[in-house]
Amino acid sequence: MAATAVSNKRVILKRYVKGFPSEEDMEVVMGEAPLMAVPAGSAAVVVKNLYISCDPYMRNRMTRHEVPSYVEDYVPGEVLTNYGVMKVISSGHPDFKTGDLVWGITGWEEYTLIDNPESLSKINHPDLPLSYYTGVLGLPGLTAYSGFFEICKPKKGEYVFISAASGAVGQIVGQLAKITGCHVIGSAGSDEKVNLLKIKFGFDNAFNYKKELDLNAALKRYFPEGIDIYFENVGGATLDAVLPNMRLRGRIAACGMISQYNLEYPDGVCNLFYIVTKRLRMEGFLVFDYYGMYHRFEEEMAAYIKEGKITYVEDIVVGLDAAPAALIGLFTGRNIGKQLVAVSQE
């Protein structure tokens, strides 16, 4: 096949970020795509990106760290990367052929040359929306599944609280908790999201934390007997209010702390002594630690979706030009559900 070069719209990091990020920290540029045919002897693949995921952890990668973080920093002038859904258009790897639908790490661009296709996974349920592999069947889904079952170890009848409950991970945790037989309450940042939790996702109750002047009092109202499991997505004042309201030997899965990501000086937590007196177990985790259980998770989650036991809400913007605003919107609560970008809809 003759080598063919085509244009390639991409989103690059313009500069390292301090404080709250803005759209101006990124730039949409037009470049030249990789060769559409993989060179002879190469095991790489060229993919056409269909969907790319917007995730809060990307904010951490936009800052230059003197001490290396848990993921590599982005580099100014280079394309942003994250998980996405792709179609293989050329392959030198024996496990992938032209036309295969895959998901994994890719560039925020129209076409990407992937030198290590071993990192990609084939899409095993193409009968479900392909976009689900950026969310409920991808890393957010595995995050919810592993954090809830492996760390929280829920029991039927327990009381579960989820912050940022309408987000990509929280909405799944809540539904898994209901399937398990737990009593589930979530917090979110708007009345629309609260209604979504109660009506669409089947939470037992939910509240708009922005309308609560006293989070501690709100939690006492919603959990008069205390909280057995807290799935932590927010940090800061929410975590501080949760700790005194935990039940004896409660469990906290620390998944994320989005309230802290843009602060130069993170908020302190005053109520940590409750971890001692209530004999709590609080454990942080990264989804990368649970890749080994992905196949089991995928089959179980796909079955739940097909049986109507799990529903998923996405917030999809169209085109790479809309990607910077979509990412920034995560930190103001603009999105309703899982935020992603449709790069090319086929």
Side-chain angles (χ1 to χ4, degrees), residues 25-82:
D25 294 319
M26 294 165 274
E27 186 176 8
V28 181
V29 299
M30 190 64 75
E32 191 173 279
L35 295 176
M36 293 294 101
V38 173
S42 170
V45 298
V46 176
V47 298
K48 182 177 185 178
N49 294 310
L50 307 180
Y51 295 97
I52 54 174
S53 178
C54 297
D55 295 294
Y57 90 97
M58 296 175 70
R59 169 62 186 85
N60 183 67
R61 301 187 67 185
M62 299 171 82
T63 294
R64 185 173 183 273
H65 293 88
E66 296 295 335
V67 177
S69 183
Y70 70 98
V71 284
E72 289 185 0
D73 299 342
Y74 291 133
V75 177
E78 294 189 6
V79 69
L80 300 180
T81 59
N82 196 19

Side-chain angles (χ1 to χ4, degrees), residues 41 123 132 147 152 231 239 251 328 333:
I123 287 178
Y132 279 11
C152 298
F231 201 94
L239 175 60
R251 289 88 71 204
I328 299 306

Side-chain angles (χ1 to χ4, degrees), residues 76-96:
E78 294 189 6
V79 69
L80 300 180
T81 59
N82 196 19
Y83 287 87
V85 174
M86 302 146 263
K87 183 177 182 179
V88 176
I89 59 174
S90 179
S91 174
H93 196 284
D95 292 341
F96 299 97

Side-chain angles (χ1 to χ4, degrees), residues 8-323:
N8 189 28
K9 187 178 286 187
R10 51 203 337 234
V11 181
I12 64 170
L13 180 67
K14 198 171 181 179
R15 55 182 173 247
Y16 283 123
V17 176
K18 291 185 177 180
F20 203 93
S22 70
E23 294 178 49
E24 289 69 37
D25 294 319
M26 294 165 274
E27 186 176 8
V28 181
V29 299
M30 190 64 75
E32 191 173 279
L35 295 176
M36 293 294 101
V38 173
S42 170
V45 298
V46 176
V47 298
K48 182 177 185 178
N49 294 310
L50 307 180
Y51 295 97
I52 54 174
S53 178
C54 297
D55 295 294
Y57 90 97
M58 296 175 70
R59 169 62 186 85
N60 183 67
R61 301 187 67 185
M62 299 171 82
T63 294
R64 185 173 183 273
H65 293 88
E66 296 295 335
V67 177
S69 183
Y70 70 98
V71 284
E72 289 185 0
D73 299 342
Y74 291 133
V75 177
E78 294 189 6
V79 69
L80 300 180
T81 59
N82 196 19
Y83 287 87
V85 174
M86 302 146 263
K87 183 177 182 179
V88 176
I89 59 174
S90 179
S91 174
H93 196 284
D95 292 341
F96 299 97
K97 64 181 187 300
T98 299
D100 280 350
L101 294 169
V102 298
W103 71 276
I105 291 285
T106 190
W108 273 33
E109 56 190 349
E110 293 174 290
Y111 300 95
T112 302
L113 172 68
I114 298 177
D115 291 317
N116 59 330
E118 298 82 7
S119 65
L120 302 178
S121 299
K122 289 185 179 180
I123 287 178
N124 295 316
H125 294 275
D127 51 321
L128 293 172
L130 295 180
S131 57
Y132 279 11
Y133 279 86
T134 69
V136 64
L137 289 172
L139 267 290
L142 182 59
T143 299
Y145 185 90
S146 59
F148 188 60
F149 290 117
E150 298 299 310
I151 300 214
C152 298
K153 300 189 184 302
K155 303 180 189 70
K156 183 178 179 179
E158 289 192 312
Y159 288 80
V160 176
F161 176 51
I162 305 160
S163 55
S166 67
V169 174
Q171 58 175 289
I172 305 170
V173 175
Q175 293 177 85
L176 291 174
K178 288 303 299 177
I179 289 170
T180 306
C182 298
H183 184 87
V184 183
I185 296 174
S187 64
S190 73
D191 291 343
E192 180 183 2
K193 293 178 180 180
V194 166
N195 288 333
L196 192 68
L197 294 174
K198 293 191 289 188
I199 297 169
K200 184 83 171 178
F201 301 136
F203 281 47
D204 294 288
N205 215 330
F207 63 89
N208 182 348
Y209 71 89
K210 293 180 180 178
K211 289 186 171 181
E212 298 291 346
L213 299 179
D214 185 336
L215 281 176
N216 180 53
L219 291 171
K220 289 187 185 305
R221 189 168 74 247
Y222 284 99
F223 294 95
E225 297 181 21
I227 301 165
D228 292 295
I229 292 171
Y230 173 44
F231 201 94
E232 164 70 299
N233 292 307
V234 171
T238 300
L239 175 60
D240 221 16
V242 164
L243 289 168
N245 287 284
M246 293 294 294
R247 298 179 79 173
L248 201 66
R249 293 187 172 83
R251 289 88 71 204
I252 300 173
C255 175
M257 297 189 179
I258 195 170
S259 72
Q260 306 301 295
Y261 296 164
N262 300 311
L263 302 180
E264 187 174 355
Y265 300 104
D267 294 330
V269 177
C270 300
N271 288 322
L272 289 176
F273 191 56
Y274 283 102
I275 294 176
V276 178
T277 60
K278 290 177 177 281
R279 286 79 113 191
L280 305 178
R281 183 166 60 82
M282 181 173 180
E283 183 176 346
F285 73 102
L286 296 176
V287 68
F288 316 125
D289 299 333
Y290 296 96
Y291 277 170
M293 63 189 301
Y294 177 77
H295 180 69
R296 185 183 90 197
F297 150 77
E298 181 188 27
E299 293 309 306
E300 191 171 326
M301 185 61 69
Y304 284 147
I305 295 168
K306 292 174 183 180
E307 293 166 6
K309 293 180 179 179
I310 294 276
T311 187
Y312 200 60
V313 170
E314 300 173 309
D315 191 327
I316 304 177
V317 301
V318 178
L320 286 167
D321 290 316

